[in-house]
Amino acid sequence: MKRIQTFSLGALLAVIVFALAAFNSFSPIRITGKITDAAGKVISDVTISEKNTRNTVQSDGNGDYSITVSNANSKLFFSKLGYAGQELPVSSSGVVNVVMHSTAQELNDVVVLGYAAQKMKRIVGSVHSNHQPVMYGNLYETPHNTESYDFINENKFLSSLQNPLSTFSIDVDAASYSNVRRFLKSGQLPPAGAVRIEEMINYFDYHYKDPEGKHPFAVYTELGECPWNPKHHIVSIGLQGKHMPQENLPAANLVFLVDVSGSMMSPNKLPLVKQSLNLLVDQLREEDRVALVVYAGSAGVALPATSGADKQVIKDAINRLEAGGSTAGGAGVTMAYKIAQENFVMNGNNRVILCTDGDFNIGESSDDAMERLIETKRKSGVFLTVLGYGMGNYKDSKMQKLADKGNGNHAYIDDISEAKKVLVNEFGGTLFTIAKDVKLQLEFNPAKVQGYRLIGYENRTLAKEDFNNDTKDAGEMGSGHTVTALYEVIPVGIVSSFIGTVDGLKYQQSNTSQLPNYQSNEWLHVKIRYKQPDQDSSILLQQPVSGNVLPLTKTSDNFRFSTSVAAFGMLLRNSEFRQEASFQKVLDIAETASGKDKHGYRKEFAGLVRRAMKKQPDLSYHE
């Protein structure tokens, strides 16, 4: 009898231990760890997903992460564009450290592109193709590269005596920089048309002081030595938009317009779109409303206007999206604007957010037709944000035109960290307009300035008469946005081949010593016009720029860093105006001007310069 009791007690204990083990294996478990590359450097913004669930987190700036998974049998998938993905089981210790390996190749290595294996070269595009994405290693891409970029005719030096006025629209887009980064990280040099220098400069925050007066932005100027030609000067003009706390932002009426055509199948297209929009949904408030329109062979409403309080409902609708079919872009745009107008919020933020690779091929497909459609719709008071995705068939030229014509902005999302920058860190600036139709007009003093050149902004230049024309469209500025424009100036008395000569004029004054303001210490006069978002009449601001020219070492971090980015863009474009610029000089200046770099963007820039030095070593040092 005692033996039976002993056996029964032992068996009972075994059952209890087994049951506890089984219970623990199916209980939630917290996993932590650090993510590094093969050299031991931490990797931030890695997406960590629990397999077969929607449980996702990201690694922080130190490469650390923490995720609570369903049970001890769960598996984690680690992914970031530019690195090979990894699937790992969770550890009973609760710690899973990961070493990720870059998929980028060096210049002298074979680079796997979507259509062939070939040596490093610039992508220049090819004949349009409707082929579906195919798998090469761990990269999805189209069999032929059909990316398209507009030709950029660089601004020339102009005589301030013959052309004293320079007029242009602001540009807060930053798509070019993230697109250039994508090329460099994948082992390729960007095509010249992809390098829009003003967008590269304006990718970064320059920490100008917030405006204190009645105007929605403040204006800052600085005059210093030109890094690539010490005989020349640089004039920096910075605009700082007023930061509006998120709780004070007007109610938002947003329509997500998502391209779900077959060209969006790649992991860096529709799957990344869904991750991006989920990040945006987390920023919404109860008073905000979101609708979801999709288009492929035809357009349809995937979600009617829904309160931001119902985040899971919105996310479920987004996460159900699948790619397939041709691309009826025009029908989708028309439907999205219709829904935005039906739910229009007076004095609110009414906006369509278009997510696409721009590869429209059905319906309103030509650039002209799409431009006219967008121009018509913008009159309704609905703004447009264009988020570009993917590679191989990315239509940058079309995306630019749509954003410009739609009173909106354009960003290129190459990975989830860029989505976080645009839709989380810069949420207000991306989606909430504080001033529209912002134009600048500069008048240069020919008694001090022999010639000048606006660096970048080639597709934003305006006729001098457009400055006072309130019907002329111009760029928008969002909450907290900064805009920086740089002019290279040739002072009077410097011999330069950049300035041509013309015969003296018979009926106009050509002797600068006889000009009314010959003795003035002013280099130029800056005028700015803008409109309130709901107004049609512009407001004028103006101020002179005078004083001494600072040596480069005495200029601000903002000045030095922005000029280093400008020089980098000129080198990538192989610009005729790069003069004594070199990648090494760019790197030297950038590393002394990192300033406040909360998110590490300036540090990342230095890394891109080093990549470019390896790819184009003949421009690393000026000869």
Side-chain angles (χ1 to χ4, degrees):
M1 184 69 180
K2 288 183 180 179
R3 289 175 56 194
I4 295 176
Q5 288 177 338
T6 302
F7 172 79
S8 299
L9 182 58
L12 180 60
L13 289 172
V15 169
I16 291 173
V17 170
F18 177 80
L20 287 173
F23 176 78
N24 287 333
S25 67
F26 289 97
S27 298
I29 180 174
R30 181 171 175 265
I31 302 297
T32 61
K34 182 178 285 290
I35 304 174
T36 60
D37 62 13
K41 295 181 180 179
V42 299
I43 307 176
S44 62
D45 297 312
V46 175
T47 299
I48 303 99
S49 304
E50 182 182 1
K51 189 175 181 181
N52 298 324
T53 75
R54 293 174 183 163
N55 183 18
T56 301
V57 299
Q58 284 185 284
S59 60
D60 62 20
N62 297 317
D64 297 322
Y65 74 93
S66 174
I67 184 171
T68 300
V69 298
S70 303
N71 54 67
N73 298 319
S74 299
K75 293 184 177 180
L76 296 176
F77 187 75
F78 299 80
S79 63
K80 180 173 182 174
L81 197 62
Y83 293 87
Q86 292 188 49
E87 182 180 304
L88 298 171
V90 301
S91 169
S92 58
S93 68
V95 178
V96 178
N97 295 319
V98 180
V99 176
M100 300 189 72
H101 299 278
S102 173
T103 57
Q105 303 292 318
E106 298 297 338
L107 171 62
N108 56 357
D109 293 333
V110 172
V111 179
V112 179
L113 299 179
Y115 47 91
Q118 49 183 279
K119 291 289 184 179
M120 177 77 61
K121 68 176 186 178
R122 291 183 183 271
I123 289 184
V124 296
S126 62
V127 179
H128 178 78
S129 169
N130 289 326
H131 293 302
Q132 296 299 311
V134 293
M135 184 76 170
Y136 291 88
N138 61 354
L139 296 175
Y140 284 90
E141 206 43 75
T142 50
H144 299 286
N145 185 284
T146 62
E147 297 193 17
S148 64
Y149 300 91
D150 281 340
F151 174 75
I152 297 176
N153 186 16
E154 283 191 286
N155 291 326
K156 312 296 183 184
F157 278 97
L158 298 174
S159 164
S160 58
L161 191 62
Q162 305 295 328
N163 301 277
L165 295 178
S166 175
T167 310
F168 66 99
S169 161
I170 69 163
D171 185 0
V172 296
D173 294 345
S176 179
Y177 180 84
S178 51
N179 195 24
V180 166
R181 177 180 63 200
R182 183 255 298 186
F183 278 103
L184 291 173
K185 283 190 172 182
S186 64
Q188 306 167 51
L189 290 170
V195 184
R196 293 185 291 275
I197 295 177
E198 73 281 3
E199 294 189 19
M200 296 183 66
I201 293 171
N202 287 321
Y203 180 87
F204 302 93
D205 184 4
Y206 291 97
H207 314 294
Y208 302 123
K209 187 178 178 182
D210 254 28
E212 296 178 348
K214 62 181 180 179
H215 300 291
F217 54 83
V219 184
Y220 299 94
T221 60
E222 189 170 0
L223 184 62
E225 175 188 329
C226 176
W228 51 88
N229 186 339
K231 294 181 180 180
H232 292 184
H233 308 325
I234 294 291
V235 177
S236 171
I237 304 162
L239 276 60
Q240 175 63 63
K242 183 178 296 184
H243 286 87
M244 297 178 63
Q246 187 168 339
E247 60 270 18
N248 295 339
L249 294 172
N253 163 37
L254 306 178
V255 180
F256 297 160
L257 175 57
V258 181
D259 180 353
V260 293
S261 62
S263 68
M264 293 289 289
M265 285 184 180
S266 306
N268 58 3
K269 293 186 180 181
L270 185 58
L272 183 55
V273 169
K274 294 195 285 188
Q275 292 181 60
S276 304
L277 293 182
N278 274 300
L279 289 177
L280 176 54
V281 170
D282 287 334
Q283 310 308 308
L284 300 177
R285 304 159 301 178
E286 183 177 358
E287 59 267 35
D288 301 324
R289 299 183 69 79
V290 170
L292 177 61
V293 174
V294 298
Y295 63 94
S298 60
V301 179
L303 179 74
T306 302
S307 168
D310 297 322
K311 290 180 172 54
Q312 195 56 52
V313 173
I314 300 171
K315 289 183 176 182
D316 288 345
I318 292 169
N319 294 331
R320 285 194 295 266
L321 299 181
E322 300 290 343
S326 54
T327 314
V333 169
T334 300
M335 182 172 290
Y337 273 93
K338 178 176 181 292
I339 292 176
Q341 290 163 354
E342 290 173 349
N343 296 279
F344 194 87
V345 178
M346 292 298 297
N347 301 318
N349 174 35
N350 300 279
R351 186 175 297 268
V352 170
I353 301 175
L354 171 61
C355 304
T356 180
D357 57 13
D359 195 5
F360 305 125
N361 51 43
I362 295 292
E364 300 283 1
S365 59
S366 72
D367 285 353
D368 287 343
M370 288 298 291
E371 285 180 48
R372 289 194 298 270
L373 177 62
I374 295 293
E375 278 185 311
T376 300
K377 298 300 182 182
R378 81 176 181 205
K379 296 175 183 177
S380 66
V382 177
F383 290 82
L384 176 68
T385 291
V386 179
L387 302 181
Y389 292 82
M391 62 183 74
N393 67 332
Y394 182 63
K395 300 297 183 284
D396 178 85
S397 56
K398 185 169 293 187
M399 311 287 263
Q400 279 286 301
K401 290 180 174 68
L402 295 184
D404 291 348
K405 299 299 180 181
N407 270 353
N409 45 39
H410 171 209
Y412 177 75
I413 310 296
D414 56 338
D415 59 21
I416 194 64
S417 60
E418 184 64 16
K420 183 179 179 182
K421 176 182 185 291
V422 173
L423 300 175
V424 179
N425 300 343
E426 300 174 359
F427 176 72
T430 302
L431 300 181
F432 293 90
T433 300
I434 60 172
K436 69 178 183 179
D437 293 339
V438 184
K439 313 170 196 175
L440 284 83
Q441 186 168 80
L442 281 64
E443 180 183 359
F444 289 88
N445 180 4
K448 294 184 75 67
V449 177
Q450 178 186 177
Y452 64 88
R453 185 177 90 88
L454 174 60
I455 301 175
Y457 291 92
E458 282 84 3
N459 64 351
R460 297 284 184 160
T461 56
L462 300 171
K464 59 181 181 291
E465 297 83 3
D466 291 336
F467 183 72
N468 292 325
N469 183 358
D470 280 352
T471 64
K472 185 67 177 180
D473 183 54
E476 282 62 53
M477 174 170 274
S479 169
H481 258 155
T482 60
V483 177
T484 299
L486 302 178
Y487 279 85
E488 183 175 352
V489 168
I490 304 174
V492 168
I494 298 298
V495 177
S496 174
S497 60
F498 290 125
I499 300 293
T501 60
V502 296
D503 293 336
L505 299 176
K506 181 177 181 180
Y507 302 109
Q508 297 184 37
Q509 182 63 260
S510 58
N511 186 344
T512 58
S513 65
Q514 298 177 9
L515 293 172
N517 292 315
Y518 175 67
Q519 299 296 333
S520 171
N521 194 35
E522 294 180 6
W523 291 84
L524 64 148
H525 191 77
V526 180
K527 295 190 293 185
I528 303 174
R529 284 193 178 274
Y530 75 93
K531 299 173 188 172
Q532 297 289 352
D534 58 348
Q535 299 295 316
D536 295 322
S537 297
S538 65
I539 298 169
L540 175 65
L541 298 174
Q542 52 186 327
Q543 68 183 57
V545 178
S546 59
N548 297 324
V549 179
L550 296 174
L552 185 62
T553 55
K554 300 295 184 181
T555 57
S556 67
D557 286 347
N558 287 336
F559 183 96
R560 295 196 308 282
F561 189 81
S562 61
T563 55
S564 72
V565 177
F568 185 52
M570 287 191 289
L571 289 166
L572 291 177
R573 291 187 52 78
N574 197 21
S575 168
E576 64 176 297
F577 304 110
R578 68 180 189 271
Q579 300 166 75
E580 297 177 15
S582 70
F583 286 128
Q584 186 62 54
K585 286 184 178 180
V586 169
L587 186 61
D588 291 344
I589 295 172
E591 289 187 330
T592 67
S594 57
K596 297 177 182 178
D597 193 21
K598 179 180 178 181
H599 299 291
Y601 301 142
R602 295 191 181 192
K603 180 180 179 181
E604 180 192 52
F605 171 77
L608 293 183
V609 176
R610 291 189 181 92
R611 287 176 181 263
M613 290 172 69
K614 294 179 181 179
K615 299 178 180 69
Q616 208 169 11
D618 55 316
L619 291 179
S620 294
Y621 295 89
H622 177 73
E623 298 179 357

